[in-house]
Amino acid sequence: MARRHQYHQPNAPDSPGDGSDSDIQLDIDELGPNDDEDGDEDDASSTWHHNSLDTRIPLRNLRATHTRRFGIQRDNDAYREGEQTASMHHLSGGRDPDGTMEDSAPLLEASNGSITTRKSSPGGWRQYSLRLAKFFSSTPDGPPTTSPETQDSSLTGTSRNITIGQDPPPRFPPNAVSNAKYTAWSFLPRTLYNELSFFFNMYFLLVALSQLIPPLRVGYVSTYVFPLLFVLSVTLGKEALSDIARRRRDAEANRGPYTILRLRDPTGTSRRKDKRKEYVGGKNPTRRGRSNTSSSHPNRLDVIEEEEEIVGHNGKESKPAIEVDELTIRSRDIKVGDVVKLGKDQRVPADLVILKSFAAESGLVTYPYRPRQESLPNLSNGEAGSNPQTSGSALTTPVPPTEASLELGKLSGGTEAGGTGEAFLRTDQLDGETDWKLRLASSLTQSLEPWEFSRLRIVAARPSKKVNEFVGMIECMPRSDPQNNSGAPQDRSSQKALTAPLTIDNTAWANTVLASNVTVLAVVVYTGAQTRQAMSTTPPRSKTGLLDCEINDLTKILCALTLTLSIVLVALEGFENREEMKWYVAITRFLILFSTIIPVSLRVNLDMGKSVYARFIERDQGISGTVVRTSTIPEELGRIEYLLSDKTGTLTRNEMELKKIHVGTVSYANEAMDEVNSYIRQGFVTGPADDVSEPSSLVTPSSSFHTPSAGNQTTRTRREIGSRVRDLVLALALCHNVTPTTEEEDGQSFTTYQASSPDEIAIVRWTEQVGLRLVHRDRNSITLQSVETSRVVVRVRIREIFPFTSEGKRMGAILQFLQGEASATPSVGDAGEIWFYQKGADTVMTSIVAGNDWLDEETANMAREGFRTLVVGRRKLSAQQYLDFSARYKEASLSLQNRDARMARVVKEHLESSLELLGVTGVEDKLQKDVKPSLELLRNAGIKIWMLTGDKVETARCVAVSAKLVSRTQYIHTITKLTPETPAASALDALSLLRSKPESTALLIDGDSLSYFLSHHRWEFISVAVLLPAVIAFRCSPTQKADVAYLIRQFTKKRVACIGDGGNDVSMIQAADVGVGIVGKEGRQASLAADFSITSFHHLTKLLVWHGRNSYKRSAKLAQFIIHRGLIISVCQTMYSIAAHYEPNALYRDWLLVGYATVYTMAPVFSLVLDKDVDEGLASLYPELYKELTNGQSLSYRTFFVWVAISIYQGSIIQGLSQILVGSVDSPQMVSVSFTVLVINELIMVACEVVTWHRFMVASLLGTMAIYIGSIPFLGGYFDLAYVWSLAFAWRVAAISAISLIPPYSVKILRRTLKPPSYRKVQGI
């Protein structure tokens, strides 16, 4: 029997390594009466004698406290009879049944129960623990009782025990969402580390700090400090604002109000001392219940008196009823063990196990609720007791269903007490599928009232990333007999706890949404960081563009050049010949003087340019709705070589439509569907068409098909075809998990369909279009109606449902058709035809259906058209065949080991053979707007596209074909079902087939095989995969998507972009160099986590081919001009130092140095962010222009050294000729000529590089020149103003400028003529 609860230490693992959880650890300071935890439940044969407990600690008070804590239950049934005897045994000082006093009776076992001293905690406190004895073992010296969780290997050693209504151990994390990258303490250290990891930031920090040393000071300190502070402030401000925005979104999610059910004892002894605050709208939270004061800590004497009052003088129980209160709290305050109440369209706050589901308008549950003891049946034998009042009538208070009652309910076709137990969830934010998932409450808990939840114990597996798997067990403890007031011990050997398995069908994971119009009561099993959604999400990282890294490498080269130049200048004069300063001081001063080679304004200009690019993107009406969330990497959009895309909601709309059916001899599509409609009208004629009041008979598969009178041969042919069509449509209308619901909007009611798959909804809608409507469906029955006559024509009982699984790739149902009049009420004894229907993928159904000669050909034709194919078959079962199957299937379903495999084996042996093939359906998954041309354009731009989806293989293949991700000439190589046990040779052989023809082969691989390759043959797999034109991975987990993105980046060193629209795509988006999120049906989570947010997939082409290309080329040109601007002034300084006998003195001081980098050149140089070489139309028409950017030709070592050569030439000419023509090395006349030529040279160089002129460019050039001329009168401290306004000054400036500018421009014109760039070719220039 599962144990009720187990005490855990903080931060302890989920369970002991050996899987044993029979021993209980407890700190001494936890032995106070304030803790209301329940102990282990005793077995039927348990005894309360502790003769084998060797440790002698006669602590009577401790015994009494223990009794309250572990032996007495304060839930709905208070004390059981066996527990009363044990409690009295302890409260009497440990008397044996014969009355002897045993004051020294052992309390703790010697082997497991000795007091142990733990290691000192980090705080220095020593903690002591007691290992409490196994009080409830079946035999004193024997092994512990086998519990359900120890029987299941999947639970052993990894399970957690949850008692509903009990405080969870502190080791469970809080239910808080946190996507923030920094804390208040880590913000400055981490951001400064990230910024100073860039070489030029660290370089300028050292330069600025050097100015605090007097011998090294060469100008104003502010000249070097303020630019660096400005750069760091801008960057840190951006990071701070981004993190604040993330924290606000997290806080909003964590403040979300949720309703929980609090189990409360009206006598004041609450099952759970809930100290949480109730959330009341936007007001400050208020505390409900008792305050946490010293009065909540009674002494041990009070505890003993309280227990004696409860036990009573005659051994009679005072049965306090458990009342249920609704408490509204914040999402972050939800704990493990809480019962959460959810309604339609409410997001699930944590990982839950569904206990109960009922229609929202039914009002089945009222609070507070006090059960009436006299109406409760006896469950002593696990059956629906012997109370005669309950026989043949509804129970006043529902009881847990038993095997007999469940079977009776199934045969009668009635719904279970307390509601349907069904709920549909939208899991798009978790697994990327917008299919609604059907979730069920356990049959053990659906009939319970909320006050009875205190009897439930749940065993759940440890937290996991697997969103499609869950293993657990739920146990409902028995109640004591309410009629037994004699005080005599109750025979507990006749009482049994009811247990039931828990699977993925009983869960609701965090971040999913309740889609159906029901109220769900569910218990929390995982919170916070242990939820599926949190474990599948990787933490965000700071992204750095490739251009920034390349510029960082170039600055290292410039620094090495500066250091070399400084050493050479000092060495030319001699290290020993210096009298005024030491040689190392001279080298340092030269380094500071040449620091302009690495201009600090480079980072400022690039960051400002990125902000401009972001503004261009957001204001582009062609991609309206686009949001730039990371403005530091727009240039990365122009360097993408790999695109990883989600499928659902990204490439497809997830809107299905049945386009084609094939019944063996003929197929129907488009206009031919009208003929199908006529066949359905004829096939479901059940009464006089002109008299609706006349009773109609129900149709079964054996009913005859009516055809209008005509020739015998024509009638026979039409009857055969019509019968085939009717049987196929009937099968499609019945074999599914679709539930019709009626909703109201604007006062009008309409029917909607809820299902776990959009394929099934599309098929059911199609059956309605052709004349057969689904009007009712619950867990036990389905009713179909004729659209033409509005009469009920088919009514069936659901015997079994076999849901679709990714392994089985098929779903089926055993249905019993009711006969007779449609208006008759079905009874339990009604008998009818029993049929097994099944539909699934052609790959598995081919071996299940009877032999035929057309199935393979037709499914291949539909697949080539991009349709999702389903093969439909059926088989008639006799009553005896069904009973044999049912017995075997029930036996397999009760197995705790390999349950799914055993159940599948029984189905295969008894049902899945020689099915009658009814037909094939083709469903189209509608693509997003302009997906096909967008993918083609991206491929022509040199981008390799991978599709990673959590969907099934058939869907992935069909979408890949229909979207032209895989062309008709490419062979699709499929790799599936590789496991760790797969031999390495066979796995590598599959890769060798891809390596032989990588250009004409696309890879289709499942998540398990992908995980195998990533774990065992990582580099072998990726080295082949990156060569393929397309890769499609299906059944991928969010973590696998992120791993693939990281692996491509690591192996190829290329830029990777990831695009998705669901919460399951967040990890992939954050792992990419560029993450793009789509705002769509699956919410905004991916959009908020992405670097760029768009509203449709086809916007991606313009984002990359136009904006990405422009951003990269503009930033590359801007960076090179800024480097040129710093290099040329450093060359002038070098020439001046050589002429001045190698003295480390500044040529341009103070304002001249600052003004040159800001006022006099910044605007014209920055205006290059407006330049463009081609217009938008040519960029889209010739995507090959984008392909050449991936090689980094716009900013490479070659272009860098070209600009270095130009800078050296122009700097040498400007400074050398200025000194020669003026005839002075250090005079105001020479400085005025040199500086003026320097400014003019930079302005004309900008004009020469412009391809497409913009009015701001013209204004910046003319305005800057005017500003310089206007500022000359204020430069008297640096210039000889009288000389500046002379003719001698003018002709020297003109001559030097011409000599410095004409040769480089001539070389550029010559090169452009001989080898024109691509943009000039497409322009026809």
Side-chain angles (χ1 to χ4, degrees):
M1 184 177 295
R3 305 190 183 279
R4 285 191 174 183
H5 191 73
Q6 180 178 0
Y7 283 85
H8 297 272
Q9 300 300 331
N11 304 321
D14 275 353
S15 64
D18 59 356
S20 174
D21 60 353
S22 58
D23 293 340
I24 306 173
Q25 290 192 8
L26 184 65
D27 286 348
I28 287 181
D29 58 1
E30 292 179 352
L31 286 174
N34 190 39
D35 299 321
D36 292 342
E37 307 291 352
D38 294 331
D40 287 2
E41 181 67 31
D42 54 347
D43 191 82
S45 60
S46 297
T47 179
W48 285 84
H49 298 284
H50 304 295
N51 297 330
S52 64
L53 306 180
D54 299 330
T55 305
R56 311 288 174 172
I57 306 180
L59 300 177
R60 189 167 305 176
N61 287 342
L62 183 59
R63 291 179 186 278
T65 304
H66 155 71
T67 305
R68 181 175 186 266
R69 294 166 54 84
F70 293 93
I72 300 178
Q73 291 296 318
R74 296 190 185 276
D75 42 25
N76 55 327
D77 296 315
Y79 294 83
R80 299 182 177 85
E81 297 296 337
E83 292 170 340
Q84 294 177 21
T85 305
S87 302
M88 295 302 297
H89 173 79
H90 278 280
L91 291 173
S92 63
R95 295 181 184 275
D96 285 338
D98 59 1
T100 60
M101 185 75 173
E102 200 171 47
D103 215 13
S104 60
L107 179 67
L108 304 176
E109 288 184 319
S111 58
N112 295 327
S114 57
I115 300 179
T116 59
T117 303
R118 298 183 186 173
K119 294 181 180 180
S120 298
S121 62
W125 294 92
R126 297 184 66 83
Q127 297 177 341
Y128 298 86
S129 67
L130 292 172
R131 187 178 294 273
L132 299 186
K134 294 179 263 187
F135 289 106
F136 310 107
S137 60
S138 56
T139 58
D141 297 321
T145 305
T146 303
S147 60
E149 64 265 31
T150 60
Q151 295 177 7
D152 193 343
S153 59
S154 61
L155 295 176
T156 303
T158 61
S159 63
R160 60 170 58 180
N161 296 343
I162 301 170
T163 302
I164 297 180
Q166 295 274 345
D167 278 323
R171 63 191 175 92
F172 295 150
N175 193 49
V177 177
S178 178
N179 293 308
K181 294 168 61 176
Y182 311 104
T183 65
W185 300 104
S186 66
F187 175 73
L188 276 178
R190 288 185 60 187
T191 52
L192 288 176
Y193 173 80
N194 291 335
E195 289 304 307
L196 296 178
S197 61
F198 286 101
F199 177 79
F200 50 81
N201 282 343
M202 178 60 73
Y203 178 80
F204 275 105
L205 176 63
L206 296 177
V207 170
L209 293 177
S210 69
Q211 296 304 289
L212 301 178
I213 303 174
L216 301 179
R217 189 173 300 164
V218 295
Y220 294 136
V221 176
S222 59
T223 304
Y224 298 91
V225 174
F226 286 168
L228 179 63
L229 290 178
F230 176 76
V231 171
L232 295 179
S233 299
V234 170
T235 307
L236 267 62
K238 284 184 177 181
E239 287 293 319
L241 291 176
S242 299
D243 212 50
I244 289 173
R246 281 190 288 266
R247 286 185 174 276
R248 286 176 177 171
R249 292 195 297 267
D250 293 342
E252 183 180 355
N254 293 330
R255 283 197 305 265
Y258 285 91
T259 300
I260 67 168
L261 306 187
R262 182 176 61 177
L263 305 181
R264 187 172 59 84
D265 190 336
T267 63
T269 54
S270 175
R271 287 183 51 80
R272 181 177 191 155
K273 293 191 179 298
D274 207 329
K275 303 177 183 179
R276 288 172 287 181
K277 299 178 180 179
E278 183 175 8
Y279 180 75
V280 186
K283 301 179 181 179
N284 293 329
T286 57
R287 183 180 298 276
R288 291 182 57 176
R290 289 186 240 173
S291 60
N292 185 20
T293 62
S294 59
S295 62
S296 64
H297 299 280
N299 57 40
R300 300 183 188 279
L301 208 50
D302 294 335
V303 173
I304 297 175
E305 292 175 356
E306 181 184 351
E307 289 172 348
E308 289 176 346
E309 291 176 1
I310 296 177
V311 174
H313 299 288
N314 297 323
K316 297 180 180 180
E317 284 190 43
S318 173
K319 293 182 178 293
I322 298 298
E323 292 187 355
V324 180
D325 292 338
E326 286 191 359
L327 188 67
T328 302
I329 62 174
R330 294 183 176 95
S331 174
R332 67 187 180 197
D333 295 328
I334 293 175
K335 297 180 180 179
V336 172
D338 281 340
V339 178
V340 181
K341 180 182 177 181
L342 298 174
K344 183 181 179 183
D345 294 331
Q346 195 168 8
R347 190 166 294 277
V348 179
D351 285 357
L352 312 176
V353 167
I354 298 176
L355 301 178
K356 188 180 183 70
S357 171
F358 51 88
E361 64 273 6
S362 64
L364 290 175
V365 181
T366 57
Y367 311 111
Y369 184 85
R370 185 188 297 272
R372 291 179 295 172
Q373 299 290 339
E374 64 273 6
S375 67
L376 298 177
N378 191 341
L379 295 178
S380 59
N381 293 318
E383 298 178 354
S386 58
N387 191 343
Q389 296 179 357
T390 65
S391 177
S393 62
L395 297 176
T396 304
T397 301
V399 298
T402 61
E403 182 177 311
S405 64
L406 289 177
E407 183 64 24
L408 180 61
K410 180 185 294 187
L411 291 174
S412 63
T415 59
E416 297 175 359
T420 64
E422 297 180 349
F424 282 94
L425 298 177
R426 292 200 302 268
T427 62
D428 41 32
Q429 295 294 314
L430 184 68
D431 57 15
E433 300 181 37
T434 52
D435 309 359
W436 288 10
K437 304 297 189 300
L438 177 63
R439 293 293 184 258
L440 306 173
S442 172
S443 58
L444 193 63
T445 61
Q446 176 62 26
S447 297
L448 295 179
E449 289 293 343
W451 59 268
E452 294 184 284
F453 290 166
S454 59
R455 296 165 48 205
L456 298 177
R457 309 291 181 266
I458 291 178
V459 182
R462 68 181 304 169
S464 170
K465 296 180 181 179
K466 299 179 179 179
V467 297
N468 295 318
E469 293 182 15
F470 177 72
V471 177
M473 187 169 296
I474 191 166
E475 184 176 24
C476 184
M477 295 302 174
R479 288 194 297 265
S480 58
D481 187 0
Q483 307 299 330
N484 184 7
N485 296 323
S486 63
Q490 198 171 340
D491 184 11
R492 296 180 59 85
S493 62
S494 63
Q495 292 184 328
K496 295 181 181 179
L498 300 178
T499 61
L502 295 175
T503 66
I504 187 64
D505 293 331
N506 308 119
T507 62
W509 297 144
N511 213 29
T512 59
V513 177
L514 182 61
S516 50
N517 189 24
V518 296
T519 298
V520 168
L521 303 181
V523 61
V524 178
V525 290
Y526 308 113
T527 54
Q530 292 183 347
T531 60
R532 284 337 195 238
Q533 190 266 344
M535 296 184 71
S536 299
T537 303
T538 57
R541 64 183 182 93
S542 298
K543 296 184 180 181
T544 303
L546 180 60
L547 183 71
D548 292 330
C549 296
E550 293 171 344
I551 293 176
N552 196 50
D553 293 337
L554 296 180
T555 55
K556 294 177 183 179
I557 298 175
L558 292 174
C559 183
L561 181 63
T562 303
L563 178 60
T564 302
L565 186 59
S566 301
I567 295 175
V568 169
L569 291 177
V570 174
L572 289 176
E573 186 180 0
F575 294 101
E576 304 298 335
N577 298 332
R578 294 187 170 272
E579 298 179 358
E580 296 181 0
M581 62 184 70
K582 298 293 184 180
W583 62 269
Y584 50 83
V585 176
I587 292 177
T588 306
R589 285 176 62 90
F590 273 125
L591 278 173
I592 297 171
L593 290 172
F594 295 147
S595 63
T596 54
I597 289 182
I598 312 172
V600 70
S601 60
L602 174 62
R603 188 67 186 275
V604 178
N605 280 270
L606 288 177
D607 286 345
M608 292 175 60
K610 293 173 182 179
S611 299
V612 172
Y613 309 148
R615 182 71 171 168
F616 287 160
I617 293 172
E618 292 181 340
R619 297 190 63 180
D620 190 340
Q621 296 302 314
I623 51 174
S624 59
T626 301
V627 179
V628 179
R629 304 192 187 278
T630 305
S631 61
T632 58
I633 56 172
E635 304 91 352
E636 297 296 277
L637 294 171
R639 309 286 295 275
I640 301 301
E641 294 193 48
Y642 290 90
L643 175 64
L644 276 56
S645 174
D646 180 39
K647 177 192 70 68
T648 306
T650 303
L651 297 178
T652 68
R653 303 179 193 176
N654 210 47
E655 297 177 3
M656 309 296 174
E657 183 179 359
L658 193 147
K659 289 287 191 179
K660 187 176 184 179
I661 64 170
H662 196 286
V663 293
T665 56
V666 63
S667 63
Y668 298 93
N670 303 323
E671 293 80 8
M673 291 297 182
D674 295 336
E675 189 173 352
V676 176
N677 200 337
S678 66
Y679 283 134
I680 297 303
R681 287 198 304 269
Q682 299 167 16
F684 290 93
V685 175
T686 58
D690 55 349
D691 190 357
V692 181
S693 62
E694 288 292 326
S696 60
S697 59
L698 297 176
V699 176
T700 68
S702 300
S703 301
S704 59
F705 184 84
H706 302 280
T707 57
S709 59
N712 291 337
Q713 185 64 32
T714 304
T715 302
R716 186 181 305 112
T717 303
R718 286 188 58 83
R719 185 164 53 248
E720 292 176 356
I721 297 176
S723 179
R724 286 173 178 262
V725 172
R726 185 196 66 175
D727 291 341
L728 176 61
V729 173
L730 180 61
L732 295 175
L734 294 174
C735 186
H736 54 72
N737 277 315
V738 180
T739 301
T741 60
T742 302
E743 298 183 1
E744 281 196 14
E745 186 174 340
D746 299 331
Q748 296 182 349
S749 61
F750 57 93
T751 300
T752 60
Y753 294 114
Q754 299 174 350
S756 60
S757 170
D759 297 60
E760 295 199 324
I761 294 179
I763 291 174
V764 171
R765 283 177 177 165
W766 176 82
T767 61
E768 181 179 1
Q769 292 173 4
V770 297
L772 197 58
R773 178 187 294 128
L774 174 67
V775 293
H776 173 76
R777 188 235 171 79
D778 55 33
R779 298 177 70 173
N780 301 295
S781 65
I782 298 176
T783 302
L784 303 181
Q785 181 187 75
S786 172
V787 175
E788 183 182 20
T789 63
S790 298
R791 290 175 171 174
V792 174
V793 293
V794 177
R795 184 176 283 130
V796 300
R797 293 196 188 102
I798 302 175
R799 294 292 193 177
E800 296 287 349
I801 288 288
F802 312 103
F804 178 89
T805 62
S806 57
E807 295 80 15
K809 301 178 183 178
R810 58 193 182 275
M811 74 86 57
I814 298 179
L815 307 174
Q816 183 177 20
F817 286 81
L818 301 184
Q819 299 175 345
E821 294 183 358
S823 58
T825 302
S827 62
V828 175
D830 284 347
E833 303 174 10
I834 300 177
W835 288 81
F836 169 61
Y837 286 96
Q838 191 171 58
K839 65 181 181 183
D842 58 289
T843 54
V844 295
M845 293 295 292
T846 302
S847 60
I848 295 176
V849 298
N852 60 89
D853 57 356
W854 59 269
L855 178 59
D856 293 338
E857 180 182 357
E858 187 57 34
T859 54
N861 292 336
M862 289 189 180
R864 278 191 291 269
E865 296 179 52
F867 293 151
R868 302 166 71 163
T869 58
L870 285 176
V871 178
V872 186
R874 69 178 182 180
R875 178 182 177 184
K876 189 173 184 179
L877 302 177
S878 66
Q880 187 60 42
Q881 286 176 324
Y882 171 71
L883 291 177
D884 293 343
F885 163 78
S886 182
R888 290 284 308 278
Y889 191 70
K890 185 175 298 182
E891 178 184 354
S893 67
L894 296 177
S895 174
L896 293 178
Q897 294 182 348
N898 301 322
R899 180 190 305 157
D900 293 340
R902 294 184 180 183
M903 294 169 66
R905 190 180 306 117
V906 172
V907 172
K908 184 175 182 62
E909 291 175 356
H910 288 76
L911 302 177
E912 295 180 339
S913 62
S914 301
L915 265 64
E916 178 189 355
L917 178 59
L918 297 178
V920 181
T921 65
V923 177
E924 180 187 38
D925 188 356
K926 294 182 180 179
L927 298 175
Q928 291 279 5
K929 180 183 177 182
D930 295 334
V931 162
K932 294 181 183 179
S934 298
L935 292 177
E936 183 179 2
L937 188 147
L938 293 175
R939 275 198 300 269
N940 293 334
I943 299 175
K944 295 182 178 179
I945 304 170
W946 293 31
M947 186 176 76
L948 310 179
T949 178
D951 219 330
K952 47 187 179 288
V953 57
E954 293 80 10
T955 306
R957 180 191 293 269
C958 291
V959 171
V961 173
S962 61
K964 305 301 182 200
L965 182 63
V966 177
S967 65
R968 294 179 179 271
T969 59
Q970 290 176 348
Y971 166 72
I972 301 178
H973 181 67
T974 305
I975 299 178
T976 57
K977 298 181 181 179
L978 295 184
T979 63
E981 292 76 22
T982 303
S986 60
L988 295 177
D989 286 344
L991 294 180
S992 62
L993 295 176
L994 294 172
R995 197 184 299 272
S996 60
K997 294 182 179 179
E999 298 84 6
S1000 59
T1001 306
L1003 173 62
L1004 182 66
I1005 186 171
D1006 66 341
D1008 292 337
S1009 302
L1010 182 62
S1011 177
Y1012 171 80
F1013 280 121
L1014 294 179
S1015 301
H1016 297 84
H1017 307 289
R1018 194 178 187 90
W1019 298 112
E1020 291 86 348
F1021 169 76
I1022 197 63
S1023 62
V1024 175
V1026 295
L1027 302 176
L1028 304 177
V1031 176
I1032 302 99
F1034 60 96
R1035 291 300 181 194
C1036 278
S1037 67
T1039 306
Q1040 285 179 328
K1041 293 182 179 182
D1043 289 342
V1044 170
Y1046 176 77
L1047 185 59
I1048 296 175
R1049 289 175 46 222
Q1050 187 180 27
F1051 180 80
T1052 63
K1053 309 300 180 183
K1054 305 294 185 181
R1055 300 291 95 179
V1056 177
C1058 293
I1059 181 171
D1061 69 323
N1064 65 312
D1065 302 317
V1066 171
S1067 296
M1068 174 180 69
I1069 287 172
Q1070 293 176 341
D1073 296 298
V1074 176
V1076 182
I1078 297 179
V1079 180
K1081 294 182 179 180
E1082 299 191 18
R1084 296 179 57 86
Q1085 188 172 358
S1087 167
L1088 294 174
D1091 304 308
F1092 301 89
S1093 171
I1094 59 179
T1095 58
S1096 180
F1097 181 84
H1098 74 280
H1099 289 172
L1100 181 65
T1101 57
K1102 187 173 184 181
L1103 190 65
L1104 297 181
V1105 175
W1106 174 241
H1107 289 288
R1109 184 176 184 276
N1110 286 339
S1111 298
Y1112 171 62
K1113 290 187 71 68
R1114 290 165 175 171
S1115 286
K1117 186 179 291 187
L1118 179 64
Q1120 291 175 130
F1121 250 98
I1122 295 174
I1123 292 175
H1124 165 264
R1125 186 177 63 189
L1127 268 172
I1128 194 173
I1129 198 173
S1130 297
V1131 173
C1132 292
Q1133 176 67 50
T1134 302
M1135 298 295 294
Y1136 169 76
S1137 297
I1138 293 174
H1141 306 291
Y1142 309 105
E1143 289 297 327
N1145 297 322
L1147 170 61
Y1148 309 120
R1149 293 186 298 273
D1150 306 334
W1151 168 250
L1152 293 183
L1153 190 62
V1154 175
Y1156 172 74
T1158 56
V1159 178
Y1160 300 145
T1161 59
M1162 182 175 178
V1165 172
F1166 186 72
S1167 69
L1168 292 174
V1169 300
L1170 304 174
D1171 193 19
K1172 57 183 179 182
D1173 52 3
V1174 295
D1175 58 23
E1176 182 182 340
L1178 286 175
S1180 300
L1181 185 61
Y1182 297 99
E1184 293 79 7
L1185 293 173
Y1186 181 90
K1187 188 174 183 179
E1188 66 183 15
L1189 299 183
T1190 58
N1191 299 325
Q1193 296 180 356
S1194 297
L1195 179 63
S1196 61
Y1197 288 117
R1198 185 185 64 83
T1199 59
F1200 168 72
F1201 285 113
V1202 168
W1203 280 100
V1204 169
I1206 295 173
S1207 301
I1208 292 175
Y1209 168 78
Q1210 291 183 334
S1212 302
I1213 292 296
I1214 291 172
Q1215 185 59 30
L1217 291 181
S1218 296
Q1219 293 174 172
I1220 294 173
L1221 296 179
V1222 174
S1224 172
V1225 174
D1226 190 7
S1227 65
Q1229 293 85 354
M1230 187 277 298
V1231 172
S1232 60
V1233 171
S1234 174
F1235 190 79
T1236 302
V1237 174
L1238 194 63
V1239 172
I1240 294 175
N1241 181 85
E1242 195 66 20
L1243 298 181
I1244 297 178
M1245 284 292 293
V1246 170
C1248 293
E1249 288 296 319
V1250 172
V1251 178
T1252 304
W1253 284 91
H1254 190 277
R1255 59 179 179 272
F1256 179 78
M1257 297 178 177
V1258 178
S1260 64
L1261 287 170
L1262 297 179
T1264 299
M1265 195 64 203
I1267 290 174
Y1268 175 69
I1269 295 174
S1271 66
I1272 290 178
F1274 303 96
L1275 301 179
Y1278 310 101
F1279 294 173
D1280 184 348
L1281 297 181
Y1283 179 75
V1284 168
W1285 304 113
S1286 65
L1287 184 60
F1289 172 82
W1291 75 261
R1292 286 177 173 83
V1293 168
I1296 297 173
S1297 299
I1299 296 173
S1300 67
L1301 288 168
I1302 292 176
Y1305 187 72
S1306 301
V1307 173
K1308 179 181 178 179
I1309 294 297
L1310 180 61
R1311 184 177 179 276
R1312 182 186 297 174
T1313 304
L1314 297 177
K1315 189 179 180 181
S1318 300
Y1319 74 88
R1320 294 181 66 86
K1321 292 179 181 178
V1322 299
Q1323 289 176 332
I1325 300 177

